[in-house]
Amino acid sequence: MSSEPETTRQPRLPASPRLRALPMVIFGSRWLQLPLYLGLIVAQCVYIALFVKELWHLSWHALDLTEQQIMMSVLALIDVVMISNLLVMVIVGGYETFVSRLDLQGHPDEPEWLGHVNASVLKIKLAMAIIGISSIALLRTFIEAGNLGSSRASFTEQGVMWQVLIHITFVASAIGIAFVDRLSDTATRNHE
């Protein structure tokens, strides 16, 4: 029996490869995006304040508003929520993809989509969110379309046409992004 205390051996982790100076600076530059994501968190707080303001206005004046005004207020709330969801996708997905891992594996609140997020998935999700936001804006315009030509109209027929064209452009862009992504996935699988 030896008089030395028995020590438990820790498994040795493989050493991280050392980067040369220039690659280390380039790789480290990803952290410059951190203030941008923190700024988006501040923008998220602004949208929370806007949501509370809209909800307060709707609740306080619910008995004085017409059905159309209530519908417009609810659509404004949905619009704020969808933009907020877009912010969350950009903040969480962008940070995870371009800056550093969040290490949320096993956390009960880990978003389902985060496990397979990459730049392509993030682009498609963002495109779909933008189409959803554009759809809400277009729906609000269509609801107000009865006022076209009157002094109460907040837009013109030409404005409606531009909104529809812009929405169609968003949809076509999303389809194009998804198509190119599918082509690149197919090419990658064929190459392997």
Side-chain angles (χ1 to χ4, degrees), residues 67-138:
E67 182 182 356
Q68 184 175 358
Q69 290 170 323
I70 291 172
M71 190 183 323
M72 295 302 287
S73 293
V74 170
L75 287 174
L77 291 173
I78 292 170
D79 198 29
V80 170
V81 169
M82 291 184 78
I83 292 172
S84 183
N85 290 342
L86 177 63
L87 281 169
V88 168
M89 278 193 285
V90 171
I91 294 165
V92 175
Y95 183 88
E96 173 88 10
T97 302
F98 300 111
V99 179
S100 183
R101 298 265 181 236
L102 291 172
D103 294 326
L104 297 176
Q105 292 79 13
H107 192 280
D109 294 330
E110 177 186 6
E112 176 268 322
W113 55 269
L114 191 58
H116 52 272
V117 73
N118 58 35
S120 295
V121 170
L122 194 57
K123 280 189 293 190
I124 292 171
K125 286 195 173 296
L126 292 175
M128 296 308 294
I130 290 169
I131 289 170
I133 292 165
S134 175
S135 297
I136 295 296
L138 201 54

Side-chain angles (χ1 to χ4, degrees), residues 8-26:
T8 57
R9 286 194 159 184
Q10 296 290 332
R12 209 164 203 210
L13 297 173
S16 304
R18 305 273 298 159
L19 295 175
R20 293 185 321 259
L22 183 59
M24 186 171 63
V25 168
I26 291 171

Side-chain angles (χ1 to χ4, degrees), residues 48-69:
I48 290 169
L50 179 62
F51 183 88
V52 169
K53 176 185 160 198
E54 287 285 333
L55 185 61
W56 177 259
H57 179 265
L58 176 62
S59 300
W60 193 252
H61 300 286
L63 299 177
D64 303 327
L65 298 173
T66 66
E67 182 182 356
Q68 184 175 358
Q69 290 170 323

